[in-house]
Amino acid sequence: MSLKAGIVGLPNVGKSTLFNAITKLNILAANYPFATIEPNVGVVIVPDQRLEFLYDLYTPKSRVPTTFEFTDIAGLVKGASRGEGLGNKFLSHIREVDCIVEVVRCFNNPDVIHVEGTVDPVRDIEVINIELVLADLEIVSNRIDKIAKKAETSKDKEALFEVGVLRRCKEALEKNIPIRRLEFDEDEQKLLQSFNFLTAKKIIYCANVNEEDAAVGDNEYTLKVREYASAENSQVIVMCAKLEAELAGLTDEERDIFLSDVGIRNSGLDKLIFATYDLLGLKTFFTCGTDEVRAWTFRDGMTAKQCAGIIHTDFERGFIRAEIMSYDDLKIYKSEVSVKAAGKVRLEGKEYLMQDGDIVYFRFNV
């Protein structure tokens, strides 16, 4: 399952520095606007201690963790929705991601230029969010203009339904309310998915602080970001992008020592990855054997048959049943044989809702 988060932000807020840390790729991170012109894509391994335990238990030939894709999208300025700066490219690239990580500058440094001249995280957030609202508003307005008159004349139920939903969106956008704040039923959500609206995407605010504040956790700027985010029920992750970039070049042991020395329990990157997973409702199941131990990503609410299709379409097409045990049971009983002897292995059908930590063997016939 290919999922991606888009990293966005005004120029020089630490966006590309964060991306460097996430992917351990050496892309350009320059102290001037538009250092990143084309989107840079990197795949990051999702940390999961369960996979390490399974690897040690099964001692397979290979171990395959689950991964997540981050895209570094070029910075924007006021007027992006009208094509200012790199606005058109920014908007087209952000439509392709599943969720947005908005990096916000929450540190003072006279040596690092701010495109707006001063540090004001809420203003920066609103610059980006308003541009996204304006871009969506243009699409909504154009669509309503195209179909409203015909829908009302013909009394076509589907067209009238679409117009009604879009008018709700337009009313909200005109009040600077993103579409993600509105509530829709299943049919309305299905309709809106075809438009791929920017403000419908879920968002995490990444407050980029200096190294001193990283250990504290909050400063006057991050508190303002938290207040803003709470109004729309969005998450905030506080981290120091510069510090994370330094950590990226260390071994796991060196990283743990470094974090301990500066008084930080978990790296900001780990927190960001887990928060992104949670935001999209993602979970993990495992397949285990002597050849391979592998973690697989699935969305909460997917059935066993659908998850079988993540591995291979033939698995889903010829699905018979799934043999499942939980990671927690395997950790307690130490072996598959002991788990089975304890009656903890289950045979589940195609409608079974997969759970995080399920260890599964799919039976199928094509």
Side-chain angles (χ1 to χ4, degrees), residues 9-13 31-34 75-80 82 84-85 102-105 107-110 112-131:
L10 292 177
N12 301 330
V13 297
N31 183 25
Y32 55 87
F34 313 131
L76 81 163
V77 293
K78 288 180 181 178
R82 302 189 303 273
E84 296 291 334
E102 187 169 329
V103 182
V104 187
R105 178 168 169 176
F107 65 89
N108 291 309
N109 187 337
V112 180
I113 301 167
H114 192 293
V115 71
E116 294 290 335
T118 57
V119 177
D120 185 342
V122 172
R123 176 205 59 206
D124 293 353
I125 289 172
E126 291 181 340
V127 166
I128 291 180
N129 290 358
I130 287 173
E131 294 304 327

Side-chain angles (χ1 to χ4, degrees), residues 157-189:
K157 289 184 178 180
E158 290 187 4
L160 287 171
F161 174 74
E162 180 178 346
V163 171
V165 175
L166 292 180
R167 280 179 173 162
R168 279 184 60 202
C169 293
K170 182 179 180 181
E171 183 180 348
L173 292 168
E174 287 175 337
K175 297 176 182 178
N176 197 27
I177 299 173
I179 293 173
R180 64 178 169 271
R181 292 193 190 181
L182 306 181
E183 293 186 4
F184 300 99
D185 62 29
E186 188 175 341
D187 291 334
E188 291 170 333
Q189 289 176 359

